[in-house]
Amino acid sequence: MRAGWIALGMVFAGTVHAQAPWSPADLDTIASMRLSQVPAAPADASNRHERDPRAIALGKELFFDERFSKPGNVSCATCHQPAFQFQDGKPRGRAIGETPRRTQPLAHVAHNAWFFWDGRKDSLWAQALAPLEDAREHGGTRALYAHLVAEHYRAEYEAVFGPLPDLSNVPRDAGPKGTTAERVAWRALDKTVQLAVSRVFANLGKAIAAYERTLVHTPSRFDRYAEALVRGKPRLDESERLTREEETGLALFIGRGRCNTCHTGPLMTDHYFHSTRVPPREPGRPDLGRYLGADEALADEFNCLGAFSDAQPAQCRELRFIVHGDPLLKRAFKTPGLRGVATRAPYMHAGQLASLARVIAHYAEAPESLPAERRIVQGHVMGSELLPLKLSDKEAAALVAFLATLDSTTIERATAVAKPE
Amino acid sequence: MWRKYVLFPVVGLLAACASAPTALDLSLDKLTKEGKFRVALVAPVPEPAVHQIHDWSIRLMTPDGTPIAKGLVYLNGGMPGHGHGLPTRPITVGETAPGLYRVEGMKFNMPGHWELIVAIQANGTEDFAYFNWMVALPKAR
């Protein structure tokens, strides 16, 4: 008798899920979150090689080539590991030394207008140059990379970018960001030689960016569910179902939890910067995030308006209309996408939160969130953009369960199921 | 001075209403707060999609509809329900016809209810106007 009831309950569950009580507005929101709704990545006018298959192939080689580092054992993939969504699961990125922030995953990265947690780079190719010259990451100089290209990828490089410059008088270790000796060696070079070496360096970034543009998410359990809902299937197959708890989490995510205000659209990010006041890694010394990042992007020699960009100045619109110097940007960080999030702890810009349960607890508490009448100080919004969120233990667990339905691995687009561009 | 003047009302407006009003006045042509000017916002066609930079026009007039040339017009905005501003800082690039001001660099990073504010300095006086704008979910592909 009892077994009969359980069996009946299970059959019933199957049909109930197919008719979850979503309002038309909820259904529209859920439909907008499907992976199939990701538009083509915006074109980057500052990189005219980004669709060239030869640039993509060269970029892939460079991404995985450990010779492109001072010690000879660091590549982009040291931290951006393909099997782990092109990140490393560590609180802070680590190669030669430790970086102050967490390694970001790279699927659909080309959809951003700004790169890094603080958006201090305005293109994917300009971004790629930073770790190469960072003493804690690849640790080399642009002169070293120019020599390495000439030695290992001359033909591949020249097919895309034209002849390499004569490097016979360029020392192996010279660059504006290196050690004192490397900087002195760089300054000793003729301006035209400096420019030629920097151009080779910028082109390496453009090839790497062309490769990164191919990285995409695979569809998740959530997508199978949402696609079936949108098609109005009367009964969902086993693989298309979410549990009651997961549905509750989804309802909170798009409803009372207001998660999808910032984590919006199919990539679950608005690609912009928000201050959610995650406790800083070093108490009392908070990372100022976008507040400094915006000014760094404006000052970057490799930005869209710089000498190495392929864009017309009028095309550099993000840079032209950038918000900077606004205290609202203090401690603001780029909203991370949430696909694949459950399998890449720890979380936040410096890996401060060890688990999704801790993340949800952060949203419930909303530290440094001021009541409306104290939010404005001298004309500026202060503190966190979040408002505290009352959640029962069950609801918190449901949000975590929903996030786990966004399972994803990262693949190169050529083999992706997602829409081609 | 002008900068300070425009910054304050924007944040003031964000604080003003913490929750989205139920019936929004979506009119794009109205008198300014103190009735000193009439302002019409001209949205781009087709309607701007989320995540794309677009340009608007603003028609500045006396209350009886006479165009006002050589004024200072400034457009900004934010999401009153969220407490954040625009992801860009739009620039008024000039007049394309007397009293018709072109604003470049608007962008919305989320669907939903945005409040747009026009600050005006002209004819030796100043005033503001507030507008509501709904950014739709992207069309299904």
Side-chain angles (χ1 to χ4, degrees), chain A residues 28 32 37-39 258 261-262 264 270-272 274 317-318 320-321 323-324 376 379 385 419, chain B residues 8 11 15 51 53 55 81-82 84 87-89 91 93 104-105 107 109-111 137 140-141:
Chain A
D28 282 350
S32 76
Q37 302 304 297
V38 176
R258 295 159 35 108
T261 54
C262 297
T264 182
D270 69 336
H271 305 292
Y272 200 60
H274 297 278
R317 303 196 92 200
E318 289 286 352
R320 177 159 178 237
F321 301 113
V323 179
H324 65 107
I376 315 292
E385 285 177 37
K419 267 189 191 171
Chain B
F8 277 73
V11 284
H51 298 315
I53 294 187
D55 305 332
H82 302 184
H84 64 73
T88 51
R89 188 173 282 169
I91 298 175
V93 294
E104 296 186 356
K107 185 176 179 180
N109 50 324
M110 300 177 187
L137 286 173
R141 296 158 60 83

mmCIF file of all heavy atoms in Angstrom, chain A residues 28 32 37-39 258 261-262 264 270-272 274 317-318 320-321 323-324 376 379 385 419, chain B residues 8 11 15 51 53 55 81-82 84 87-89 91 93 104-105 107 109-111 137 140-141:
data_model
loop_
_atom_site.group_PDB
_atom_site.id
_atom_site.type_symbol
_atom_site.label_atom_id
_atom_site.label_comp_id
_atom_site.label_asym_id
_atom_site.label_seq_id
_atom_site.Cartn_x
_atom_site.Cartn_y
_atom_site.Cartn_z
ATOM 1 N N ASP A 28 9.269 34.154 -19.534
ATOM 2 C CA ASP A 28 10.081 35.011 -20.406
ATOM 3 C C ASP A 28 11.494 35.151 -19.856
ATOM 4 O O ASP A 28 12.475 35.097 -20.597
ATOM 5 C CB ASP A 28 9.460 36.415 -20.518
ATOM 6 C CG ASP A 28 8.276 36.434 -21.470
ATOM 7 O OD1 ASP A 28 8.075 35.420 -22.171
ATOM 8 O OD2 ASP A 28 7.563 37.447 -21.498
ATOM 9 N N SER A 32 14.995 33.776 -21.446
ATOM 10 C CA SER A 32 16.117 34.669 -21.782
ATOM 11 C C SER A 32 17.426 34.174 -21.190
ATOM 12 O O SER A 32 18.494 34.673 -21.535
ATOM 13 C CB SER A 32 15.830 36.086 -21.283
ATOM 14 O OG SER A 32 16.013 36.164 -19.879
ATOM 15 N N GLN A 37 20.481 31.505 -26.200
ATOM 16 C CA GLN A 37 20.189 32.926 -26.405
ATOM 17 C C GLN A 37 21.444 33.800 -26.384
ATOM 18 O O GLN A 37 21.354 35.021 -26.514
ATOM 19 C CB GLN A 37 19.212 33.412 -25.332
ATOM 20 C CG GLN A 37 17.916 32.629 -25.323
ATOM 21 C CD GLN A 37 17.235 32.658 -26.678
ATOM 22 O OE1 GLN A 37 16.838 33.707 -27.164
ATOM 23 N NE2 GLN A 37 17.127 31.486 -27.307
ATOM 24 N N VAL A 38 22.600 33.186 -26.190
ATOM 25 C CA VAL A 38 23.834 33.979 -26.204
ATOM 26 C C VAL A 38 24.002 34.558 -27.612
ATOM 27 O O VAL A 38 24.014 33.813 -28.588
ATOM 28 C CB VAL A 38 25.067 33.119 -25.860
ATOM 29 C CG1 VAL A 38 26.344 33.945 -25.969
ATOM 30 C CG2 VAL A 38 24.934 32.545 -24.461
ATOM 31 N N PRO A 39 24.094 35.878 -27.735
ATOM 32 C CA PRO A 39 24.287 36.442 -29.069
ATOM 33 C C PRO A 39 25.723 36.197 -29.532
ATOM 34 O O PRO A 39 26.556 35.722 -28.758
ATOM 35 C CB PRO A 39 24.033 37.939 -28.865
ATOM 36 C CG PRO A 39 24.323 38.193 -27.424
ATOM 37 C CD PRO A 39 24.073 36.900 -26.688
ATOM 38 N N ARG A 258 16.452 38.530 -6.306
ATOM 39 C CA ARG A 258 16.935 39.569 -7.233
ATOM 40 C C ARG A 258 18.336 39.291 -7.768
ATOM 41 O O ARG A 258 19.072 40.205 -8.114
ATOM 42 C CB ARG A 258 16.893 40.948 -6.562
ATOM 43 C CG ARG A 258 15.474 41.390 -6.229
ATOM 44 C CD ARG A 258 15.368 42.460 -5.146
ATOM 45 N NE ARG A 258 16.460 43.405 -5.176
ATOM 46 C CZ ARG A 258 16.361 44.659 -5.566
ATOM 47 N NH1 ARG A 258 15.218 45.122 -6.007
ATOM 48 N NH2 ARG A 258 17.387 45.451 -5.516
ATOM 49 N N THR A 261 19.212 40.456 -11.392
ATOM 50 C CA THR A 261 19.399 41.847 -11.781
ATOM 51 C C THR A 261 20.835 42.026 -12.269
ATOM 52 O O THR A 261 21.056 42.545 -13.354
ATOM 53 C CB THR A 261 19.091 42.803 -10.616
ATOM 54 O OG1 THR A 261 19.865 42.438 -9.492
ATOM 55 C CG2 THR A 261 17.616 42.754 -10.255
ATOM 56 N N CYS A 262 21.787 41.571 -11.485
ATOM 57 C CA CYS A 262 23.194 41.655 -11.912
ATOM 58 C C CYS A 262 23.593 40.421 -12.726
ATOM 59 O O CYS A 262 24.279 40.530 -13.734
ATOM 60 C CB CYS A 262 24.105 41.770 -10.703
ATOM 61 S SG CYS A 262 23.823 43.281 -9.756
ATOM 62 N N THR A 264 22.421 38.607 -15.039
ATOM 63 C CA THR A 264 21.313 38.646 -15.989
ATOM 64 C C THR A 264 21.676 37.968 -17.309
ATOM 65 O O THR A 264 22.858 37.827 -17.636
ATOM 66 C CB THR A 264 20.907 40.124 -16.228
ATOM 67 O OG1 THR A 264 19.809 40.179 -17.120
ATOM 68 C CG2 THR A 264 22.051 40.918 -16.840
ATOM 69 N N ASP A 270 25.935 40.966 -16.082
ATOM 70 C CA ASP A 270 25.682 42.203 -16.835
ATOM 71 C C ASP A 270 27.000 42.780 -17.336
ATOM 72 O O ASP A 270 27.028 43.887 -17.864
ATOM 73 C CB ASP A 270 24.938 43.226 -15.974
ATOM 74 C CG ASP A 270 25.807 43.771 -14.855
ATOM 75 O OD1 ASP A 270 26.773 43.079 -14.454
ATOM 76 O OD2 ASP A 270 25.547 44.889 -14.384
ATOM 77 N N HIS A 271 28.104 42.061 -17.136
ATOM 78 C CA HIS A 271 29.436 42.458 -17.602
ATOM 79 C C HIS A 271 29.866 43.809 -17.014
ATOM 80 O O HIS A 271 30.705 44.489 -17.590
ATOM 81 C CB HIS A 271 29.497 42.553 -19.136
ATOM 82 C CG HIS A 271 29.070 41.307 -19.838
ATOM 83 N ND1 HIS A 271 29.789 40.137 -19.792
ATOM 84 C CD2 HIS A 271 27.991 41.047 -20.620
ATOM 85 C CE1 HIS A 271 29.174 39.219 -20.506
ATOM 86 N NE2 HIS A 271 28.089 39.735 -21.009
ATOM 87 N N TYR A 272 29.260 44.219 -15.909
ATOM 88 C CA TYR A 272 29.650 45.513 -15.346
ATOM 89 C C TYR A 272 30.069 45.349 -13.876
ATOM 90 O O TYR A 272 30.142 44.234 -13.371
ATOM 91 C CB TYR A 272 28.514 46.544 -15.539
ATOM 92 C CG TYR A 272 29.038 47.960 -15.417
ATOM 93 C CD1 TYR A 272 30.020 48.439 -16.285
ATOM 94 C CD2 TYR A 272 28.585 48.800 -14.400
ATOM 95 C CE1 TYR A 272 30.528 49.727 -16.148
ATOM 96 C CE2 TYR A 272 29.086 50.090 -14.267
ATOM 97 C CZ TYR A 272 30.060 50.540 -15.139
ATOM 98 O OH TYR A 272 30.568 51.804 -14.996
ATOM 99 N N HIS A 274 29.999 46.093 -9.739
ATOM 100 C CA HIS A 274 29.091 46.392 -8.639
ATOM 101 C C HIS A 274 29.799 46.191 -7.310
ATOM 102 O O HIS A 274 30.640 45.312 -7.175
ATOM 103 C CB HIS A 274 27.855 45.491 -8.712
ATOM 104 C CG HIS A 274 27.062 45.721 -9.954
ATOM 105 N ND1 HIS A 274 26.157 46.748 -10.078
ATOM 106 C CD2 HIS A 274 27.097 45.102 -11.161
ATOM 107 C CE1 HIS A 274 25.646 46.735 -11.305
ATOM 108 N NE2 HIS A 274 26.204 45.748 -11.981
ATOM 109 N N ARG A 317 34.270 53.341 -28.306
ATOM 110 C CA ARG A 317 33.187 54.015 -27.603
ATOM 111 C C ARG A 317 33.182 53.702 -26.115
ATOM 112 O O ARG A 317 32.875 54.556 -25.294
ATOM 113 C CB ARG A 317 31.845 53.647 -28.247
ATOM 114 C CG ARG A 317 31.808 53.996 -29.733
ATOM 115 C CD ARG A 317 30.397 53.994 -30.266
ATOM 116 N NE ARG A 317 29.830 55.321 -30.165
ATOM 117 C CZ ARG A 317 28.518 55.571 -30.189
ATOM 118 N NH1 ARG A 317 27.661 54.593 -30.270
ATOM 119 N NH2 ARG A 317 28.075 56.796 -30.105
ATOM 120 N N GLU A 318 33.496 52.464 -25.744
ATOM 121 C CA GLU A 318 33.494 52.135 -24.319
ATOM 122 C C GLU A 318 34.483 53.030 -23.565
ATOM 123 O O GLU A 318 34.212 53.510 -22.476
ATOM 124 C CB GLU A 318 33.857 50.661 -24.099
ATOM 125 C CG GLU A 318 32.779 49.687 -24.541
ATOM 126 C CD GLU A 318 31.581 49.654 -23.588
ATOM 127 O OE1 GLU A 318 31.643 50.266 -22.496
ATOM 128 O OE2 GLU A 318 30.571 49.015 -23.954
ATOM 129 N N ARG A 320 35.617 55.949 -24.556
ATOM 130 C CA ARG A 320 35.210 57.352 -24.622
ATOM 131 C C ARG A 320 34.154 57.686 -23.567
ATOM 132 O O ARG A 320 34.147 58.769 -23.002
ATOM 133 C CB ARG A 320 34.660 57.634 -26.025
ATOM 134 C CG ARG A 320 34.156 59.040 -26.163
ATOM 135 C CD ARG A 320 34.100 59.488 -27.619
ATOM 136 N NE ARG A 320 33.568 60.825 -27.667
ATOM 137 C CZ ARG A 320 32.492 61.184 -28.356
ATOM 138 N NH1 ARG A 320 31.874 60.298 -29.115
ATOM 139 N NH2 ARG A 320 32.060 62.408 -28.314
ATOM 140 N N PHE A 321 33.252 56.741 -23.320
ATOM 141 C CA PHE A 321 32.155 57.027 -22.397
ATOM 142 C C PHE A 321 32.358 56.340 -21.044
ATOM 143 O O PHE A 321 31.412 56.115 -20.297
ATOM 144 C CB PHE A 321 30.827 56.595 -23.030
ATOM 145 C CG PHE A 321 30.549 57.285 -24.331
ATOM 146 C CD1 PHE A 321 30.530 56.574 -25.523
ATOM 147 C CD2 PHE A 321 30.347 58.657 -24.372
ATOM 148 C CE1 PHE A 321 30.286 57.213 -26.730
ATOM 149 C CE2 PHE A 321 30.102 59.307 -25.574
ATOM 150 C CZ PHE A 321 30.079 58.586 -26.760
ATOM 151 N N VAL A 323 32.933 55.439 -17.273
ATOM 152 C CA VAL A 323 32.690 56.095 -15.984
ATOM 153 C C VAL A 323 33.971 55.926 -15.167
ATOM 154 O O VAL A 323 34.435 54.810 -14.968
ATOM 155 C CB VAL A 323 31.517 55.425 -15.234
ATOM 156 C CG1 VAL A 323 31.305 56.106 -13.884
ATOM 157 C CG2 VAL A 323 30.249 55.470 -16.076
ATOM 158 N N HIS A 324 34.555 57.031 -14.746
ATOM 159 C CA HIS A 324 35.766 56.918 -13.921
ATOM 160 C C HIS A 324 35.785 58.026 -12.882
ATOM 161 O O HIS A 324 35.066 59.020 -13.006
ATOM 162 C CB HIS A 324 37.032 56.952 -14.791
ATOM 163 C CG HIS A 324 37.242 58.259 -15.493
ATOM 164 N ND1 HIS A 324 38.203 59.161 -15.127
ATOM 165 C CD2 HIS A 324 36.580 58.819 -16.532
ATOM 166 C CE1 HIS A 324 38.131 60.221 -15.922
ATOM 167 N NE2 HIS A 324 37.165 60.036 -16.786
ATOM 168 N N ILE A 376 23.139 57.941 0.949
ATOM 169 C CA ILE A 376 23.721 59.052 0.200
ATOM 170 C C ILE A 376 24.526 59.916 1.159
ATOM 171 O O ILE A 376 23.975 60.482 2.104
ATOM 172 C CB ILE A 376 22.618 59.924 -0.429
ATOM 173 C CG1 ILE A 376 21.556 59.072 -1.091
ATOM 174 C CG2 ILE A 376 23.223 60.949 -1.386
ATOM 175 C CD1 ILE A 376 22.008 58.331 -2.299
ATOM 176 N N GLY A 379 26.311 63.411 -1.587
ATOM 177 C CA GLY A 379 25.931 63.221 -2.975
ATOM 178 C C GLY A 379 26.334 61.884 -3.568
ATOM 179 O O GLY A 379 26.143 61.645 -4.753
ATOM 180 N N GLU A 385 25.690 47.745 -2.784
ATOM 181 C CA GLU A 385 24.474 47.901 -3.589
ATOM 182 C C GLU A 385 23.407 46.895 -3.166
ATOM 183 O O GLU A 385 22.271 46.978 -3.600
ATOM 184 C CB GLU A 385 24.789 47.686 -5.075
ATOM 185 C CG GLU A 385 25.518 48.842 -5.710
ATOM 186 C CD GLU A 385 25.882 48.550 -7.161
ATOM 187 O OE1 GLU A 385 25.093 47.912 -7.878
ATOM 188 O OE2 GLU A 385 26.989 48.955 -7.570
ATOM 189 N N LYS A 419 25.178 27.963 -30.772
ATOM 190 C CA LYS A 419 25.060 28.570 -32.104
ATOM 191 C C LYS A 419 26.384 29.110 -32.603
ATOM 192 O O LYS A 419 27.071 29.794 -31.860
ATOM 193 C CB LYS A 419 24.091 29.738 -32.025
ATOM 194 C CG LYS A 419 22.704 29.336 -32.349
ATOM 195 C CD LYS A 419 21.817 30.541 -32.476
ATOM 196 C CE LYS A 419 20.398 30.013 -32.533
ATOM 197 N NZ LYS A 419 19.419 31.017 -32.448
ATOM 198 N N PHE B 8 24.413 65.624 -8.110
ATOM 199 C CA PHE B 8 23.530 65.500 -6.958
ATOM 200 C C PHE B 8 22.134 64.977 -7.268
ATOM 201 O O PHE B 8 21.685 64.041 -6.635
ATOM 202 C CB PHE B 8 23.458 66.831 -6.211
ATOM 203 C CG PHE B 8 24.603 66.991 -5.282
ATOM 204 C CD1 PHE B 8 25.870 67.254 -5.760
ATOM 205 C CD2 PHE B 8 24.420 66.794 -3.920
ATOM 206 C CE1 PHE B 8 26.933 67.353 -4.903
ATOM 207 C CE2 PHE B 8 25.490 66.900 -3.054
ATOM 208 C CZ PHE B 8 26.753 67.182 -3.543
ATOM 209 N N VAL B 11 21.907 61.061 -7.826
ATOM 210 C CA VAL B 11 21.891 60.177 -6.665
ATOM 211 C C VAL B 11 20.660 60.445 -5.824
ATOM 212 O O VAL B 11 20.090 59.539 -5.238
ATOM 213 C CB VAL B 11 23.176 60.292 -5.843
ATOM 214 C CG1 VAL B 11 24.282 59.577 -6.547
ATOM 215 C CG2 VAL B 11 23.534 61.717 -5.568
ATOM 216 N N ALA B 15 17.857 57.598 -4.584
ATOM 217 C CA ALA B 15 17.420 57.367 -3.219
ATOM 218 C C ALA B 15 15.920 57.550 -3.104
ATOM 219 O O ALA B 15 15.267 56.950 -2.274
ATOM 220 C CB ALA B 15 18.130 58.328 -2.292
ATOM 221 N N HIS B 51 23.221 46.157 -23.308
ATOM 222 C CA HIS B 51 24.654 45.958 -23.588
ATOM 223 C C HIS B 51 25.179 46.688 -24.823
ATOM 224 O O HIS B 51 26.309 46.464 -25.217
ATOM 225 C CB HIS B 51 25.040 44.474 -23.746
ATOM 226 C CG HIS B 51 24.795 43.668 -22.515
ATOM 227 N ND1 HIS B 51 25.155 44.094 -21.265
ATOM 228 C CD2 HIS B 51 24.235 42.455 -22.339
ATOM 229 C CE1 HIS B 51 24.815 43.173 -20.379
ATOM 230 N NE2 HIS B 51 24.245 42.177 -21.003
ATOM 231 N N ILE B 53 25.926 50.375 -26.887
ATOM 232 C CA ILE B 53 26.021 51.824 -26.737
ATOM 233 C C ILE B 53 25.188 52.494 -27.829
ATOM 234 O O ILE B 53 25.243 52.084 -28.983
ATOM 235 C CB ILE B 53 27.490 52.273 -26.806
ATOM 236 C CG1 ILE B 53 28.239 51.713 -25.587
ATOM 237 C CG2 ILE B 53 27.602 53.790 -26.844
ATOM 238 C CD1 ILE B 53 29.660 52.200 -25.434
ATOM 239 N N ASP B 55 22.839 56.316 -29.101
ATOM 240 C CA ASP B 55 22.770 57.774 -29.037
ATOM 241 C C ASP B 55 21.315 58.236 -28.972
ATOM 242 O O ASP B 55 20.442 57.644 -29.602
ATOM 243 C CB ASP B 55 23.444 58.371 -30.278
ATOM 244 C CG ASP B 55 24.868 57.844 -30.427
ATOM 245 O OD1 ASP B 55 25.483 57.510 -29.399
ATOM 246 O OD2 ASP B 55 25.351 57.749 -31.575
ATOM 247 N N GLY B 81 15.486 51.037 -8.527
ATOM 248 C CA GLY B 81 15.287 49.854 -7.709
ATOM 249 C C GLY B 81 16.581 49.197 -7.277
ATOM 250 O O GLY B 81 16.595 48.328 -6.416
ATOM 251 N N HIS B 82 17.705 49.568 -7.879
ATOM 252 C CA HIS B 82 18.961 48.881 -7.600
ATOM 253 C C HIS B 82 20.012 49.771 -6.965
ATOM 254 O O HIS B 82 20.996 49.289 -6.441
ATOM 255 C CB HIS B 82 19.576 48.308 -8.888
ATOM 256 C CG HIS B 82 18.686 47.356 -9.605
ATOM 257 N ND1 HIS B 82 19.088 46.687 -10.734
ATOM 258 C CD2 HIS B 82 17.428 46.952 -9.360
ATOM 259 C CE1 HIS B 82 18.089 45.925 -11.155
ATOM 260 N NE2 HIS B 82 17.075 46.063 -10.341
ATOM 261 N N HIS B 84 22.071 51.876 -8.643
ATOM 262 C CA HIS B 84 23.268 52.121 -9.442
ATOM 263 C C HIS B 84 22.932 52.961 -10.662
ATOM 264 O O HIS B 84 21.778 53.049 -11.079
ATOM 265 C CB HIS B 84 23.975 50.824 -9.846
ATOM 266 C CG HIS B 84 23.163 49.939 -10.742
ATOM 267 N ND1 HIS B 84 22.941 50.225 -12.058
ATOM 268 C CD2 HIS B 84 22.511 48.789 -10.493
ATOM 269 C CE1 HIS B 84 22.195 49.284 -12.583
ATOM 270 N NE2 HIS B 84 21.906 48.398 -11.655
ATOM 271 N N PRO B 87 26.102 52.417 -16.905
ATOM 272 C CA PRO B 87 27.466 51.895 -17.012
ATOM 273 C C PRO B 87 28.366 52.759 -17.891
ATOM 274 O O PRO B 87 29.521 52.416 -18.106
ATOM 275 C CB PRO B 87 27.250 50.511 -17.629
ATOM 276 C CG PRO B 87 26.010 50.658 -18.442
ATOM 277 C CD PRO B 87 25.143 51.653 -17.722
ATOM 278 N N THR B 88 27.827 53.825 -18.434
ATOM 279 C CA THR B 88 28.632 54.754 -19.236
ATOM 280 C C THR B 88 28.349 56.167 -18.748
ATOM 281 O O THR B 88 27.398 56.397 -18.001
ATOM 282 C CB THR B 88 28.246 54.683 -20.725
ATOM 283 O OG1 THR B 88 26.831 54.834 -20.818
ATOM 284 C CG2 THR B 88 28.680 53.396 -21.383
ATOM 285 N N ARG B 89 29.171 57.093 -19.213
ATOM 286 C CA ARG B 89 28.927 58.504 -18.912
ATOM 287 C C ARG B 89 28.637 59.195 -20.239
ATOM 288 O O ARG B 89 29.557 59.506 -21.005
ATOM 289 C CB ARG B 89 30.173 59.083 -18.247
ATOM 290 C CG ARG B 89 29.988 60.476 -17.713
ATOM 291 C CD ARG B 89 31.207 60.905 -16.911
ATOM 292 N NE ARG B 89 31.210 60.311 -15.572
ATOM 293 C CZ ARG B 89 32.259 60.361 -14.758
ATOM 294 N NH1 ARG B 89 33.389 60.912 -15.134
ATOM 295 N NH2 ARG B 89 32.181 59.815 -13.560
ATOM 296 N N ILE B 91 27.763 61.782 -23.249
ATOM 297 C CA ILE B 91 28.288 63.113 -23.543
ATOM 298 C C ILE B 91 27.335 63.818 -24.507
ATOM 299 O O ILE B 91 26.914 63.234 -25.519
ATOM 300 C CB ILE B 91 29.691 63.018 -24.192
ATOM 301 C CG1 ILE B 91 30.671 62.353 -23.217
ATOM 302 C CG2 ILE B 91 30.203 64.392 -24.604
ATOM 303 C CD1 ILE B 91 32.055 62.102 -23.808
ATOM 304 N N VAL B 93 27.081 66.051 -27.368
ATOM 305 C CA VAL B 93 28.108 66.451 -28.335
ATOM 306 C C VAL B 93 27.774 67.754 -29.037
ATOM 307 O O VAL B 93 28.653 68.384 -29.616
ATOM 308 C CB VAL B 93 28.382 65.344 -29.379
ATOM 309 C CG1 VAL B 93 29.001 64.133 -28.705
ATOM 310 C CG2 VAL B 93 27.114 64.954 -30.121
ATOM 311 N N GLU B 104 25.540 61.234 -26.964
ATOM 312 C CA GLU B 104 26.140 59.952 -27.347
ATOM 313 C C GLU B 104 26.588 59.191 -26.108
ATOM 314 O O GLU B 104 26.917 59.794 -25.088
ATOM 315 C CB GLU B 104 27.349 60.197 -28.264
ATOM 316 C CG GLU B 104 26.942 60.837 -29.586
ATOM 317 C CD GLU B 104 28.099 60.967 -30.569
ATOM 318 O OE1 GLU B 104 29.254 60.637 -30.207
ATOM 319 O OE2 GLU B 104 27.834 61.410 -31.688
ATOM 320 N N GLY B 105 26.633 57.852 -26.252
ATOM 321 C CA GLY B 105 27.229 57.037 -25.195
ATOM 322 C C GLY B 105 26.286 56.547 -24.124
ATOM 323 O O GLY B 105 26.697 56.261 -23.016
ATOM 324 N N LYS B 107 24.082 53.625 -22.403
ATOM 325 C CA LYS B 107 24.130 52.163 -22.395
ATOM 326 C C LYS B 107 23.326 51.649 -21.210
ATOM 327 O O LYS B 107 23.343 52.260 -20.141
ATOM 328 C CB LYS B 107 25.587 51.695 -22.292
ATOM 329 C CG LYS B 107 25.772 50.180 -22.396
ATOM 330 C CD LYS B 107 27.248 49.819 -22.375
ATOM 331 C CE LYS B 107 27.465 48.330 -22.445
ATOM 332 N NZ LYS B 107 28.884 47.957 -22.421
ATOM 333 N N ASN B 109 22.873 48.155 -18.897
ATOM 334 C CA ASN B 109 23.482 46.841 -18.686
ATOM 335 C C ASN B 109 22.510 45.829 -18.103
ATOM 336 O O ASN B 109 22.906 44.701 -17.825
ATOM 337 C CB ASN B 109 24.746 46.935 -17.819
ATOM 338 C CG ASN B 109 24.536 47.728 -16.550
ATOM 339 O OD1 ASN B 109 23.804 48.708 -16.537
ATOM 340 N ND2 ASN B 109 25.181 47.311 -15.490
ATOM 341 N N MET B 110 21.255 46.220 -17.900
ATOM 342 C CA MET B 110 20.258 45.279 -17.385
ATOM 343 C C MET B 110 18.909 45.619 -17.982
ATOM 344 O O MET B 110 18.616 46.785 -18.193
ATOM 345 C CB MET B 110 20.096 45.429 -15.866
ATOM 346 C CG MET B 110 21.324 45.181 -15.071
ATOM 347 S SD MET B 110 20.969 45.490 -13.341
ATOM 348 C CE MET B 110 22.636 45.342 -12.696
ATOM 349 N N PRO B 111 18.077 44.588 -18.218
ATOM 350 C CA PRO B 111 16.696 44.889 -18.558
ATOM 351 C C PRO B 111 15.995 45.458 -17.323
ATOM 352 O O PRO B 111 16.462 45.276 -16.209
ATOM 353 C CB PRO B 111 16.112 43.523 -18.936
ATOM 354 C CG PRO B 111 17.196 42.521 -18.790
ATOM 355 C CD PRO B 111 18.362 43.157 -18.131
ATOM 356 N N LEU B 137 13.541 42.596 -22.134
ATOM 357 C CA LEU B 137 14.401 41.418 -22.271
ATOM 358 C C LEU B 137 14.761 41.286 -23.747
ATOM 359 O O LEU B 137 13.957 41.627 -24.607
ATOM 360 C CB LEU B 137 13.638 40.157 -21.855
ATOM 361 C CG LEU B 137 13.395 39.917 -20.381
ATOM 362 C CD1 LEU B 137 12.477 38.713 -20.206
ATOM 363 C CD2 LEU B 137 14.700 39.678 -19.643
ATOM 364 N N ALA B 140 13.792 36.677 -28.223
ATOM 365 C CA ALA B 140 14.253 35.298 -28.350
ATOM 366 C C ALA B 140 14.908 35.093 -29.705
ATOM 367 O O ALA B 140 14.471 35.680 -30.696
ATOM 368 C CB ALA B 140 13.082 34.345 -28.177
ATOM 369 N N ARG B 141 15.963 34.276 -29.739
ATOM 370 C CA ARG B 141 16.685 34.049 -30.983
ATOM 371 C C ARG B 141 16.257 32.738 -31.617
ATOM 372 O O ARG B 141 15.999 31.788 -30.953
ATOM 373 C CB ARG B 141 18.193 34.017 -30.708
ATOM 374 C CG ARG B 141 18.719 35.330 -30.201
ATOM 375 C CD ARG B 141 20.023 35.139 -29.460
ATOM 376 N NE ARG B 141 21.045 34.559 -30.307
ATOM 377 C CZ ARG B 141 21.809 35.231 -31.155
ATOM 378 N NH1 ARG B 141 21.681 36.516 -31.250
ATOM 379 N NH2 ARG B 141 22.715 34.639 -31.879
#
